[in-house]
Amino acid sequence: MQLNHELPDYQYALRSADGSVARVNERVLTHSFILTPDSLSEDWPVAALAELTTAHLQPLLALNPELVLLGTGARQVFPPAAIMATCLTRGIGIEVMTNASAARTFNVLAGEGRRVVAGFILEPQA
């Protein structure tokens, strides 16, 4: 049996993610970031879910997604209703999950050609 290494047809793939570290392609990230299949923004200033405001969602929404994935770290923690409403009132879906689950979901949706934007909250290591 011949095995072929299939390269994604998008620029950025999440290789792994947990509560404090993520690997996008071969780059190791230790601060919160925003990711689309074709862009990476490493300067998302959210160090913890408790800090997240509707203003923090604006850079994600500016990318015109059909779906926002919010990775909340090692545990799934839902943000306040106002955060969810910021997406839903614009007709944009939002899914909240652990970073590991969001990484897997991102890769599946990006592979399907969906307009997905992911915000990953990475908490600083102690």
Side-chain angles (χ1 to χ4, degrees):
M1 173 190 293
Q2 182 177 353
L3 299 177
N4 294 318
H5 179 70
E6 191 173 321
L7 297 175
D9 58 355
Y10 48 94
Q11 188 172 356
Y12 293 102
L14 269 156
R15 302 293 178 211
S16 64
D18 61 25
S20 58
V21 177
R23 196 172 102 206
V24 176
N25 295 350
E26 298 307 317
R27 185 171 178 78
V28 176
L29 303 175
T30 57
H31 294 90
S32 300
F33 62 97
I34 298 169
L35 184 67
T36 73
D38 297 314
S39 68
L40 170 63
S41 175
E42 298 181 49
D43 59 354
W44 197 35
V46 182
L49 183 66
E51 296 177 4
L52 186 65
T53 67
T54 57
H56 289 120
L57 289 183
Q58 295 313 312
L60 286 80
L61 299 176
L63 295 166
N64 192 33
E66 63 181 285
L67 177 66
V68 170
L69 296 176
L70 180 60
T72 59
R75 294 181 316 116
Q76 179 187 31
V77 181
F78 287 91
I83 300 293
M84 304 291 282
T86 299
C87 293
L88 298 174
T89 58
R90 291 173 171 82
I92 298 170
I94 181 168
E95 294 291 333
V96 179
M97 53 190 73
T98 66
N99 284 352
S101 294
R104 292 187 298 271
T105 303
F106 174 85
N107 288 330
V108 168
L109 294 174
E112 293 175 352
R114 304 275 301 273
R115 289 189 339 264
V116 60
V117 174
F120 285 84
I121 299 172
L122 298 178
E123 296 185 6
Q125 292 180 339

